[in-house]
Amino acid sequence: MGISELRHMGARGSGARVPINPLGRALVRAGAISRSDAALAEMVRRHCDTSLDRILQAEGLATEDDLLAAHARRLSSQRWTVQDLAVAEPVDAGLDPRILLKYGVLPLTAASGATVLATGGPESLAALRPSLPKSLARARAVMAPRHAIQDRIAQEHRDLLRARAEARVAETESCRTWEGAFDRRLRITLAGLAGIAVLSLAFPVMIFALFAFWACLTLVVSAGLKIAAFVAHRVAKTATPALDPRSQRPLPKVSILVPLFRETEIAHALIARLSRLTYPKCLLDVILVLEEEDDLTRQTLAGIDLPPWVRPVIVPDGKPRTKPRAMNYALDFCEGDIIGIFDAEDAPEADQITVVARRFQQVPREVACLQGILDYYNPTQNWLARCFTIEYATWFRTLMPGMARLGLAIPLGGTTLYFRRDVLEELGGWDAHNVTEDADLGFRLARHGYRTEMIKTVTEEEANCRVWPWIKQRSRWLKGYMTTYLVHMRQPRLLYAQLGPRKFWGFQAHFVSALSQFLLAPFLWSFWLVLFGLPHPLDPVLPHRVLVGLGSLFLTVEVLNVCIHMASVAGPRHRHLMAWAPTMHFYSPLGAIAAYKALYELILKPFFWDKTAHGLSVAARGRRTSDGGFDLSGIKLEPGHKGL
């Protein structure tokens, strides 16, 4: 709840009964705010785990300059400008620059020769002081803009911070060691392909039979996993126990990372969507993560009047230029205890962060991640968008919750993810070299004893509705799946010991069957020949009744998949898609094409990030107004859409 809501409720007259803290009194004496607003800010602070500075700034009642000046007067300190920070010499106190970034504190040498601690607020400095070395124990504080302090820290430690962003995850759990093994990997791959080619020429029927057998085996495993997840989801109780309002703790600060790269088309719409979040803005810390060389997006954002709770962070150029590397770098700039991830085209439900924050207060510490439901706001744009929406509804509304109910580790989606910050830092953030950093992180959480819980809050994003962009996106996901499996299977015994039998075999069933089904899809399609009474390559070695049985198995699983798809879109939000579920059989061949592209890139370009183009749908773009603003009121909403 913010000050504006309290005013609306008629709480202004209660100001005389609310004690005002020293900073509030200093601002009132300086004429920066009224006494009633200071009292209302104190009332907000009782429900929000944040400082008075953040509340007043987020509500637009005081500027950063007002607050810094008030702190300086109250503490008999100095007020430094950006120029003062730029010319002061840094003090090497042996502190980790990531800690300095987190608290927004920097030791510097003043013009007088004395060592000072530049800080954006006394509360940040007080939190850091116990970790300071003795040489800084008596250093005086000077007040300076927090963003300028962080910029100076990033400038002074540019190379170190960039290197740590690239190698934050432990080497044993990262794929970055592949970087220097290209020649060896290529030789092994070429030798393997040559061996398969020779065997196929010498024993074509036998090789075909082996691949067909493996395709059928993984088909059965995949179908069994889907049935188990579907049943577990359907029979489980889905009600979430409500918290007693009287026992609720103050809401925590939440940082949201929004990686952007060449997103000029939807930058304005993104800010409009974020502004619709109902979480108290004084507790919201939205970081727009920008690449240093992405001048277009930076120029676009420069023309937008960002709210005080939204700020850009520029990631130094480096390799690999991936989303996880950028998030690793930006993580240390965050102020929140909870870290969330949004994509550029996301439209989260307005109350999503409140739901997430309260859920984290309910669950045990081992629940380190909450995964929301992803959906699409352009499902009727064309056939591909419809199929993509059906696939997402099946995965996020049925299979993922079912797998979680079965006690299996789940690969995370790339957005609408929320983490306990301390756990995320403990695990080293994201693997900068893995192009599906989300799936990888889901299993690293499980390996270290943490759980992911699905939560009933929806984020809508743009369905990739053009064939080649869809294939590029899916090939990146599948390449990441291949990478994740190979990385975690380096030491199978260790993985088994960490995950336990249930999660270990669930990991095998999910990854092996998913990848095999895409790569070996043509062998399964060959059974259509049997069903239509045409000759089959295995006629010389298998009785006809066996081939008919295998063809029937393939057809049965196809029907089963259609049933699960239809059940997943049977709700009022997606009911209009039920008639399209049978066409999913014609959607899957695109995945096979993407799988072969992924396999090619895994060998030759394992760290290449094939970026997904956004802003292709009307709903993603919105409409520019004559004054340079952005109007979303004319956007056509799909059935069941709650608004942007």
Side-chain angles (χ1 to χ4, degrees):
M1 179 178 292
I3 291 176
S4 57
E5 287 83 356
L6 289 175
R7 285 174 177 163
H8 182 71
M9 293 167 57
R12 177 181 284 275
S14 63
R17 298 190 299 273
V18 178
I20 302 174
N21 80 354
L23 174 61
R25 291 197 297 269
L27 289 167
V28 171
R29 285 196 299 269
I33 61 173
S34 67
R35 180 175 180 81
S36 59
D37 281 343
L40 290 175
E42 282 294 330
M43 293 175 65
V44 172
R45 195 157 72 103
R46 295 178 180 179
H47 301 281
C48 301
D49 185 15
T50 190
S51 64
L52 191 65
D53 304 51
R54 293 276 307 184
I55 297 170
L56 294 173
Q57 201 170 346
E59 294 287 339
L61 295 175
T63 66
E64 186 177 38
D65 286 338
D66 293 334
L67 296 166
L68 292 173
H71 281 308
R73 287 193 300 269
R74 188 170 61 86
L75 301 175
S76 301
S77 179
Q78 293 181 326
R79 163 74 170 90
W80 279 25
T81 64
V82 175
Q83 290 74 20
D84 294 328
L85 285 173
V87 299
E89 290 294 324
V91 174
D92 184 7
L95 291 169
D96 188 333
R98 294 180 294 183
I99 298 297
L100 298 177
L101 282 173
K102 180 178 179 179
Y103 292 100
V105 176
L106 179 61
L108 294 167
T109 302
S112 63
T115 299
V116 297
L117 294 170
T119 179
E123 293 190 4
S124 297
L125 180 56
L128 178 63
R129 274 203 183 273
S131 304
L132 293 175
K134 292 182 179 179
S135 59
L136 297 177
R138 297 188 177 182
R140 297 198 58 176
V142 296
M143 300 296 118
R146 181 185 177 92
H147 72 89
I149 294 171
Q150 289 185 322
D151 288 347
R152 181 66 194 276
I153 296 169
Q155 175 188 343
E156 291 295 329
H157 302 279
R158 174 186 172 93
D159 292 339
L160 178 60
L161 291 171
R162 177 169 55 188
R164 288 183 174 176
E166 295 168 3
R168 193 159 188 157
V169 173
E171 187 174 291
T172 56
E173 296 180 357
S174 169
C175 63
R176 66 177 178 271
T177 54
W178 296 359
E179 202 160 15
F182 174 78
D183 292 339
R184 179 172 173 269
R185 184 171 65 250
L186 183 60
R187 286 196 301 270
I188 293 174
T189 303
L190 291 176
L193 292 175
I196 293 173
V198 170
L199 289 173
S200 298
L201 291 173
F203 311 100
V205 176
M206 184 183 73
I207 297 301
F208 190 98
L210 287 174
F211 281 129
F213 170 77
W214 184 254
C216 291
L217 178 62
T218 55
L219 179 69
V220 172
V221 172
S222 176
L225 184 60
K226 287 179 182 179
I227 293 171
F230 179 80
V231 172
H233 174 61
R234 290 287 166 172
V235 302
K237 293 182 180 179
T238 57
T240 299
L243 275 175
D244 181 353
R246 295 170 297 179
S247 66
Q248 290 180 0
R249 290 171 280 170
L251 288 167
K253 193 177 295 182
V254 178
S255 290
I256 302 294
L257 297 177
V258 188
L260 302 175
F261 187 62
R262 298 175 184 167
E263 304 287 4
T264 56
E265 290 295 322
I266 59 175
H268 293 79
L270 168 66
I271 302 303
R273 289 170 183 147
L274 293 174
S275 297
R276 286 164 170 73
L277 293 169
T278 58
Y279 201 65
K281 298 302 187 288
C282 59
L283 294 172
L284 202 53
D285 173 38
V286 176
I287 295 180
L288 307 180
V289 187
L290 311 176
E291 294 286 350
E292 186 176 47
E293 64 90 36
D294 185 10
D295 294 330
L296 289 174
T297 307
R298 292 168 62 186
Q299 291 169 8
T300 301
L301 290 175
I304 302 175
D305 187 15
L306 296 177
W309 42 272
V310 178
R311 57 195 170 105
V313 166
I314 311 300
V315 181
D317 197 23
K319 292 183 179 180
R321 190 181 294 155
T322 59
K323 173 182 172 181
R325 172 184 169 272
M327 292 192 297
N328 277 343
Y329 181 85
L331 178 59
D332 298 313
F333 289 77
C334 295
E335 300 178 18
D337 299 316
I338 297 172
I339 306 295
I341 311 296
F342 285 164
D343 279 342
E345 78 278 19
D346 284 356
E349 285 185 326
D351 65 344
Q352 181 175 113
I353 300 180
T354 306
V355 171
V356 167
R358 288 305 186 197
R359 187 59 183 160
F360 266 126
Q361 291 178 336
Q362 283 182 290
V363 296
R365 176 173 163 75
E366 70 181 40
V367 178
C369 174
L370 296 178
Q371 166 75 69
I373 298 170
L374 300 185
D375 209 334
Y376 289 126
Y377 47 64
N378 61 323
T380 60
Q381 187 161 346
N382 57 24
W383 171 77
L384 188 59
R386 289 182 176 94
C387 289
F388 210 166
T389 305
I390 294 170
E391 181 185 25
Y392 255 40
T394 303
W395 180 239
F396 284 99
R397 297 176 183 273
T398 300
L399 298 184
M400 275 184 81
M403 290 169 65
R405 294 282 182 183
L406 291 171
L408 305 180
I410 57 176
L412 305 177
T415 182
T416 317
L417 286 169
Y418 296 88
F419 303 93
R420 297 188 192 273
R421 178 182 183 152
D422 56 344
V423 174
L424 188 59
E425 291 177 332
E426 175 193 329
L427 267 61
W430 299 269
D431 184 358
H433 291 72
N434 193 322
V435 295
T436 51
E437 77 293 336
D438 39 16
D440 169 73
L441 182 53
F443 286 97
R444 278 198 290 121
L445 285 166
R447 291 185 70 165
H448 291 269
Y450 296 106
R451 287 196 296 117
T452 297
E453 182 180 284
M454 296 292 296
I455 188 166
K456 287 190 173 181
T457 181
V458 178
T459 294
E460 293 182 329
E461 56 183 18
E462 181 188 10
N464 206 328
C465 52
R466 297 184 184 178
V467 172
W468 185 242
W470 187 97
I471 290 173
K472 291 169 64 178
Q473 182 186 60
R474 187 56 55 98
S475 70
R476 190 185 78 231
W477 294 354
L478 291 173
K479 180 173 68 173
Y481 258 42
M482 297 173 189
T483 301
T484 298
Y485 183 79
L486 293 173
V487 166
H488 289 285
M489 282 296 289
R490 281 172 174 162
Q491 298 176 289
R493 290 184 180 179
L494 176 61
L495 182 66
Y496 185 89
Q498 291 177 324
L499 292 180
R502 181 188 294 261
K503 288 186 174 70
F504 177 83
W505 291 114
F507 171 80
Q508 302 297 329
H510 177 67
F511 276 88
V512 174
S513 64
L515 295 172
S516 297
Q517 289 296 286
F518 280 115
L519 290 170
L520 302 181
F523 294 91
L524 292 174
W525 300 336
S526 72
F527 290 107
W528 282 116
L529 299 173
V530 178
L531 296 175
F532 286 115
L534 298 174
H536 190 274
L538 296 181
D539 282 335
V541 295
L542 288 178
H544 184 68
R545 64 178 181 277
V546 174
L547 290 175
V548 171
L550 293 175
S552 300
L553 169 67
F554 170 62
L555 183 61
T556 300
V557 173
E558 286 295 303
V559 173
L560 171 69
N561 287 334
V562 170
C563 292
I564 293 176
H565 290 318
M566 294 183 72
S568 300
V569 296
R573 188 186 188 97
H574 297 105
R575 193 169 294 154
H576 61 287
L577 296 172
M578 290 185 68
W580 296 89
T583 70
M584 292 295 287
H585 179 73
F586 304 101
Y587 174 77
S588 56
L590 295 175
I593 298 171
Y596 294 124
K597 181 177 181 292
L599 188 59
Y600 165 81
E601 289 185 358
L602 180 70
I603 299 165
L604 298 178
K605 299 187 291 183
F607 309 132
F608 171 64
W609 186 279
D610 211 345
K611 184 184 174 333
T612 304
H614 298 307
L616 302 178
S617 70
V618 175
R621 294 192 299 268
R623 185 177 67 233
R624 292 295 296 266
T625 59
S626 59
D627 61 356
F630 209 72
D631 177 23
L632 298 177
S633 60
I635 293 177
K636 180 182 178 182
L637 304 182
E638 304 295 347
H641 196 290
K642 293 185 177 181
L644 298 178

